[in-house]
Amino acid sequence: MSVTLTINDTAVSAPDGGTILEAAKAAGITIPTLCHHPDLTDVGACRLCVVSVEGARGLQTACTTPVRDGMVVDTESADARAARTFVLEMLLTDHPNDCMACEGNGDCELQRWVYEYGVEVPEHSGRRHSYQPDSDPSPVILVDMNKCILCGRCVRASYEVQVCDIWNFSQRGFTTAVVAGMGQALRDAGCVSCGACVAYCPVGALFDRPSVGWGRATSQTKVRTTCNYCGVGCQFDLNVSDHTGRVTRVTATPDAPANGMALCVKGRYGYDFIHSDERLTEPLIRDPSVLDGRFPGFREASWDEALNLVAEKLVHSRETYGPDSVGYFASAKCTNEENYLMQKLARAVSKTNNVDHCARLCHSSTVAGLATVLGSGAMTNSIDDTTEEAKLYFVTGSNTTEQHPVIGRKMLKMIREKGTKLIVADPRRIELCDAAADPAGSLHLQQRPGTDVALFNGIMYEILANGWEDRAYIEARTEGFDGFREMVMQFPPERAAEISGVPAEDIREAARLLAENKPAAVFWAMGITQHTTGTMNVMTLANLQMLLGNIGVPGGGVNPLRGQNNVQGACDLGTLSNVYPGYQRVTDPDHKAKFERAWGVQGLSDQVGLTIVEMINAAHTGDLKALYVMAENPMTSDPDLNHVREALERLDFLVVQDIFMTETAHYADVVLPGACFAEKDGTFTSTERRVQRIRKAVDAPGVARPDWRILCDLAMRMGYPMAYASPAEIQDEIAAVTPIYGGVTYRRLDAGEQLQWPVRDATHPGTPILHVGTFTRGRGLFTANDHIEPHECPTTDYPFTMTTGRVLYHWHGGSQTRRSEALMAHYPEPRIEIHPDDASRLGIAEGEWVKVTSRRGDFVARAWLTDRVALGLIFGTFHFPKGNVNWATGAFLDPKAKIPEYKVSAVKVERVHH
Ligand code: SF4
Ligand code: SF4
Ligand code: SF4
Ligand code: FES
């Protein structure tokens, strides 16, 4: 429904229920605003947007007054302009008016309107507040309340966008002020430094501390790109100084498809690694005679020398020991185009399928499990669709507010605003557990690690026992139901409770909530996948969603949250040992013939190659002779690091291509300097299958080169022509051989089209929801999954179960986040979470250093005493080299996906002096 009104003598049609401000904006008419922001609830506080409305008593605030049919509005009446001038004058009576020294200069909404209305600093001064400038110790937010105009945008951003509820008004009248918490420092009030409040502040009262000094610089270029940390796929602008060529700030942009103005601390403040002094700038060749300099044990080399050596060694290994003596680690940090080229190099040039990447260590069980039961192994729905349309979130093995923060915050917003119900199944009491607005509609199932199948089967038993399953859906769309049912009926809630440690009544309650709140969306991450039963865990979750008819519908789906920025794309582009790009099997003769034709080669291998852990094992036994590692760091991210170190030492030849001298690079024979995400063009594919551009904003340091160029140069030297002028050209080749990317082009992406694969051809619009109407494999396959105990259970000698993960302020092996001042200020050293009762029994006090030992190795970290973990459970991370849990984890693999069981290791814990 629309109405017709007149604004400034022009007839305007506008949606019924909209405001005058919105109608004016749509008609190209600007009305000044300060407290309004399109993302936030309008409160009509500043009165700058006042307009004259015929027949109305007095001026009306355009941001809160709804349009009516026949309304006559004058936005530029003398009364309105005079009122705005007065508002601006009054604001200036309590404002420092030192624009030239303010970080907000040039980007300040108050300044803009003051200039536009020609307002002078008034003679009369009001009650001028005097706050301490820079009053908060936050490492990332500069607070200067002298500049605050009490618009309340930070208050609403913290409530409505970030759902942290930290900013608020205190006092009333002349003493009204905006304060954090109860007048506390931001961090004490619970601030997690997302910077959303800064992004919405219209003046210089809140500013990004790492960018102080740059706010006033007018000569900055903004380059739209995609975040290099997690798989949410947030977009933002890198602000680059035209003088120094350095990134000075990250600013959010309302039209970013996944995140809008929201970002997390890593995306907004974790960019300073780009210009770190520790960046690799030259190729390096091992030389034990070099004892000092930047990299003792290595000498600098030209690109020609280094690449010739790498080419010679890789060819030699292939010719002497056979194609499978060479292995390639690709990277979820690199672009789609680079991953495509790496698997092409491995397959077409080295003639091996020994190419894999860290998806093997995070979501290979998701890919294997979902491909088996549904026909494709990716998140079925979109972020907005699942978070907004679901009636219930079932979150398991995902600490969403820390690992996929923008999705986690959207969940919190919907829980609060729409009353979305929440079930968290997680061995830890994560932040989401405390979040439900309606405690009756939320549940935390704290299962013993490694008992997921039993727990989920117990829930499904209860659904079946009550006849809550979606019979019509099961009959119309699935197969394998009888065998599945037979298995599930062996898990009455009491038995599931005995295995999982979750009370039977909670299992029943979970089933009831799921039955009553449809559609429900299931989300998971590595808490589900990193088990010897990872593939079964995933298939069991798919069973649950098929049982309830929740797949192929808005607000439902099976939604694995992919870890790294481009782990989805790296899988899609075939850096997996069993599939070509687009999940085309290497064992299928048709696919082999197709790629032989496309790449102009003969003799592609039809044998499934070695996975990451298998390549490390083969290096250990001497079967793998040469390894090429592109932007991966197995010496931090692989299980059982002592074993990895021995394996790397036994290789004849190791090449590491990276942006830093990583823990793995120390063992390399040749180190090649790559370019980071800000220094090259390409695409990443986010967790919701959205293909997005990254763009070159700054030059790479020294002679470092984009990874795609290095791979092309190397292939040429190995006798295979790879001459692409740009990543766009590589993408055109990808589209030609990868059906799910068939219609993806830079032209479409740069024109702003939003493409979620499958994108079949140049006119296909992409696919926001998978499996609508029919599954990719035809019928969805129910599977019968039994409980199997984890590989390693606690014993007298190793009485604790250790589970692993990441924290908000760091990312994976930490090579980027440990080089970010802002992030290190939040989380400077390794910690383990231990229950206070366990700590007290072991004589461990808060903050003391402890040693954690398994049968394979040990590490030290500071103790954090918290009931986030249950008795007998500890939690640690792999962000810091010496405090890395992977000295203790084991390489026990899921038989199908070959993913290691990071999530369960038996360890002992003791206090140490450090
Ligand atoms: S930075 Fe983010 S978490 Fe901190 S107060 Fe602002 S909105 Fe809240
Ligand atoms: S700090 Fe900024 S956003 Fe918050 S009330 Fe003051 S001026 Fe508005
Ligand atoms: S949520 Fe993920 S993609 Fe978004 S800013 Fe944070 S790390 Fe980057
Ligand atoms: S913008 Fe309308 S009252 Fe502030």
Side-chain angles (χ1 to χ4, degrees):
M1 278 275 286
S2 64
V3 298
T4 303
L5 65 160
T6 306
I7 306 181
N8 301 352
D9 299 328
T10 305
V12 169
S13 173
D16 199 5
T19 63
I20 295 174
L21 183 66
E22 287 160 353
K25 189 172 177 207
I29 298 165
T30 303
I31 299 174
T33 57
L34 280 172
C35 69
H36 164 83
H37 189 284
D39 291 355
L40 306 173
T41 306
D42 279 311
V43 287
C46 72
R47 323 307 279 182
L48 194 66
C49 66
V50 286
V51 293
S52 298
V53 177
E54 212 172 86
R57 239 185 334 146
L59 296 167
Q60 307 291 304
T61 47
C63 67
T64 54
T65 306
V67 287
R68 269 184 292 102
D69 211 28
M71 196 178 222
V72 179
V73 178
D74 185 352
T75 68
E76 294 301 314
S77 68
D79 283 355
R81 288 191 66 88
R84 289 176 200 149
T85 304
F86 180 69
V87 166
L88 293 167
E89 273 178 12
M90 293 314 287
L91 286 171
L92 291 190
T93 62
D94 187 17
H95 203 78
N97 305 326
D98 58 352
C99 294
M100 303 303 274
C102 177
E103 295 296 338
N105 191 15
D107 192 28
C108 171
E109 294 176 36
L110 176 64
Q111 187 184 45
R112 174 187 172 186
W113 298 121
V114 164
Y115 286 175
E116 216 159 302
Y117 277 73
V119 175
E120 304 277 327
V121 177
E123 300 261 309
H124 56 285
S125 77
R127 178 183 164 134
R128 189 171 292 276
H129 288 95
S130 179
Y131 299 100
Q132 183 196 335
D134 194 358
S135 59
D136 194 283
S138 163
V140 292
I141 300 177
L142 175 72
V143 178
D144 183 356
M145 282 302 164
N146 294 301
K147 295 166 185 163
C148 175
I149 56 169
L150 296 175
C151 69
R153 273 162 55 165
C154 59
V155 176
R156 281 170 283 146
S158 77
Y159 191 82
E160 297 172 14
V161 177
Q162 175 65 4
V163 201
C164 65
D165 306 353
I166 284 176
W167 289 111
N168 219 324
F169 291 103
S170 82
Q171 313 297 329
R172 283 295 176 266
F174 278 127
T175 55
T176 299
V178 164
V179 297
M182 305 297 285
Q184 297 157 283
L186 274 164
R187 306 254 3 248
D188 294 343
C191 170
V192 291
S193 301
C194 75
C197 50
V198 180
Y200 284 96
C201 180
V203 295
L206 303 177
F207 193 75
D208 299 319
R209 188 185 291 284
S211 304
V212 166
W214 290 108
R216 278 166 273 153
T218 48
S219 47
Q220 311 245 13
T221 303
K222 289 189 178 193
V223 181
R224 179 69 46 85
T225 196
T226 307
C227 183
N228 64 311
Y229 287 112
C230 89
V232 174
C234 294
Q235 291 215 305
F236 49 67
D237 290 331
L238 288 173
N239 296 221
V240 179
S241 159
D242 297 342
H243 297 306
T244 65
R246 291 166 76 95
V247 176
T248 56
R249 195 180 182 198
V250 161
T251 44
T253 161
D255 56 350
N259 57 300
M261 292 286 283
L263 291 169
C264 81
V265 61
K266 293 186 288 291
R268 203 182 301 268
Y269 298 115
Y271 57 83
D272 40 343
F273 75 88
I274 297 169
H275 301 300
S276 162
D277 292 343
E278 294 179 68
R279 284 287 303 273
L280 290 171
T281 54
E282 317 279 338
L284 302 169
I285 293 179
R286 176 167 292 285
D287 182 347
S289 71
V290 179
L291 301 177
D292 46 24
R294 277 186 85 201
F295 303 113
F298 291 89
R299 67 174 168 81
E300 288 181 358
S302 68
W303 275 108
D304 276 342
E305 187 191 8
L307 287 175
N308 284 341
L309 178 61
V310 174
E312 179 198 318
K313 292 286 187 183
L314 295 182
V315 170
H316 170 80
S317 199
R318 183 188 68 200
E319 299 303 319
T320 313
Y321 306 107
D324 292 337
S325 67
V326 182
Y328 291 85
F329 282 15
S331 175
K333 294 231 76 64
C334 291
T335 62
N336 286 330
E337 295 76 6
E338 290 163 344
N339 278 285
Y340 175 79
L341 291 193
M342 173 144 254
Q343 59 85 38
K344 185 174 177 182
L345 176 69
R347 292 181 163 127
V349 185
S350 285
K351 298 282 168 55
T352 181
N353 285 317
N354 288 349
V355 56
D356 216 39
H357 75 285
C358 67
R360 186 65 59 191
L361 308 175
C362 66
H363 269 294
S364 57
S365 37
T366 294
V367 174
L370 293 187
T372 304
V373 300
L374 307 181
S376 64
M379 183 165 170
T380 57
N381 289 49
S382 303
I383 295 169
D384 277 354
D385 154 59
T386 44
T387 50
E388 287 168 21
E389 302 296 324
K391 297 275 191 313
L392 181 147
Y393 307 136
F394 187 106
V395 181
T396 180
S398 156
N399 184 2
T400 322
T401 55
E402 293 204 50
Q403 301 325 319
H404 298 88
V406 165
I407 296 179
R409 299 332 284 195
K410 280 194 178 179
M411 286 177 176
L412 294 180
K413 181 176 164 73
M414 289 300 131
I415 288 168
R416 173 187 278 168
E417 289 181 3
K418 290 179 77 174
T420 310
K421 305 285 189 286
L422 173 69
I423 300 174
V424 175
D426 199 294
R428 291 198 300 151
R429 192 172 171 78
I430 55 173
E431 185 189 6
L432 270 184
C433 298
D434 301 324
D438 165 18
S442 74
L443 202 56
H444 177 207
L445 312 174
Q446 196 165 16
Q447 76 272 42
R448 183 168 64 86
T451 62
D452 307 282
V453 167
L455 174 64
F456 305 151
N457 277 352
I459 294 171
M460 289 189 283
Y461 176 103
E462 186 68 9
I463 290 171
L464 284 167
N466 287 283
W468 291 333
E469 72 274 21
D470 187 336
R471 270 271 141 212
Y473 184 96
I474 294 164
E475 272 158 31
R477 298 201 48 185
T478 69
E479 61 188 359
F481 182 73
D482 291 343
F484 150 78
R485 186 177 202 285
E486 204 176 304
M487 173 63 74
V488 165
M489 295 323 278
Q490 294 171 36
F491 288 86
E494 279 68 26
R495 178 166 177 241
E498 200 179 308
I499 297 170
S500 66
V502 176
E505 59 270 27
D506 286 355
I507 294 174
R508 293 203 169 88
E509 175 64 2
R512 188 187 62 76
L513 281 170
L514 281 160
E516 288 177 359
N517 295 282
K518 292 211 289 187
V522 171
F523 299 89
W524 72 85
M526 282 162 251
I528 283 298
T529 59
Q530 291 179 332
H531 290 278
T532 45
T533 55
T535 306
M536 287 209 303
N537 291 352
V538 169
M539 294 195 298
T540 308
L541 288 170
N543 284 345
L544 175 68
Q545 288 296 69
M546 287 191 290
L547 189 66
L548 293 163
N550 277 339
I551 304 181
V553 294
V558 283
N559 300 292
L561 299 178
R562 307 302 302 259
Q564 301 225 44
N565 53 317
N566 196 33
V567 68
Q568 183 64 56
C571 291
D572 300 341
L573 274 307
T575 53
L576 292 171
S577 58
N578 56 337
V579 285
Y580 291 115
Y583 306 97
Q584 302 172 80
R585 298 196 168 277
V586 296
T587 48
D588 182 325
D590 291 343
H591 294 153
K592 175 172 173 296
K594 169 181 169 175
F595 280 92
E596 284 176 342
R597 266 195 315 278
W599 294 342
V601 292
Q602 287 299 309
L604 292 182
S605 169
D606 56 6
Q607 302 293 307
V608 170
L610 298 176
T611 63
I612 281 201
V613 176
E614 288 171 337
M615 280 190 252
I616 292 293
N617 289 344
H620 205 265
T621 56
D623 294 328
L624 193 84
K625 304 290 184 191
L627 182 61
Y628 194 119
V629 178
M630 174 175 78
E632 286 250 338
N633 194 2
M635 269 308 295
T636 63
S637 56
D638 284 24
D640 193 358
L641 292 179
N642 286 311
H643 177 74
V644 178
R645 185 184 57 210
E646 286 168 16
L648 296 181
E649 284 170 349
R650 288 179 192 189
L651 284 165
D652 284 356
F653 191 66
L654 173 63
V655 190
V656 171
Q657 179 173 314
D658 213 307
I659 62 170
F660 291 111
M661 189 60 145
T662 61
E663 290 70 20
T664 305
H666 285 291
Y667 297 89
D669 297 285
V670 176
V671 180
L672 303 174
C676 78
F677 84 112
E679 297 155 354
K680 59 190 175 188
D681 287 302
T683 54
F684 292 159
T685 303
S686 73
T687 188
E688 56 179 346
R689 297 172 281 105
R690 192 186 297 279
V691 186
Q692 304 190 110
R693 287 276 278 115
I694 64 163
R695 295 184 176 85
K696 183 176 187 297
V698 295
D699 290 331
V703 298
R705 293 178 181 176
D707 298 86
W708 65 271
R709 275 203 191 281
I710 302 173
L711 297 175
C712 289
D713 290 348
L714 180 62
M716 301 285 246
R717 285 172 159 84
M718 292 173 76
Y720 182 83
M722 264 198 207
Y724 301 95
S726 67
E729 212 174 291
I730 305 171
Q731 177 54 47
D732 290 344
E733 182 175 317
I734 291 172
V737 295
T738 314
I740 55 175
Y741 280 64
V744 177
T745 61
Y746 276 43
R747 190 185 48 74
R748 293 182 76 181
L749 294 172
D750 289 340
E753 279 196 66
Q754 295 304 319
L755 299 177
Q756 289 171 273
W757 67 251
V759 188
R760 299 284 174 204
D761 56 44
T763 56
H764 191 273
T767 314
I769 305 180
L770 294 177
H771 313 302
V772 177
T774 180
F775 289 100
T776 308
R777 76 179 285 278
R779 281 182 170 262
L781 178 65
F782 275 105
T783 50
N785 303 306
D786 203 352
H787 168 68
I788 299 173
E789 278 290 298
H791 181 89
E792 199 172 66
C793 292
T795 62
T796 318
D797 290 341
Y798 298 98
F800 282 89
T801 297
M802 180 179 77
T803 193
T804 69
R806 296 160 299 184
V807 298
L808 175 64
Y809 300 102
H810 282 285
W811 192 247
H812 284 232
S815 60
Q816 295 175 9
T817 53
R818 277 186 281 111
R819 289 171 173 105
S820 162
E821 225 176 275
L823 298 175
M824 284 298 275
H826 289 84
Y827 200 103
E829 42 191 20
R831 293 180 196 154
I832 63 150
E833 295 176 16
I834 182 167
H835 193 280
D837 294 350
D838 282 329
S840 129
R841 204 166 34 78
L842 296 169
I844 296 166
E846 177 72 40
E848 282 190 320
W849 288 93
V850 296
K851 181 159 98 167
V852 178
T853 310
S854 77
R855 293 176 179 87
R856 294 157 294 279
D858 59 60
F859 65 93
V860 288
R862 272 196 202 277
W864 174 21
L865 278 48
T866 169
D867 62 4
R868 274 160 65 105
V869 285
L871 275 172
L873 182 69
I874 66 163
F875 169 84
T877 71
F878 57 118
H879 305 313
F880 294 86
K882 291 207 175 99
N884 187 332
V885 287
N886 286 325
W887 293 107
T889 52
F892 313 118
L893 304 185
D894 173 289
K896 188 158 186 188
K898 309 285 173 67
I899 193 168
E901 189 155 58
Y902 289 100
K903 291 296 186 251
V904 190
S905 306
V907 297
K908 65 181 173 191
V909 181
E910 55 203 322
R911 195 175 139 209
V912 287
H913 296 290
H914 189 63

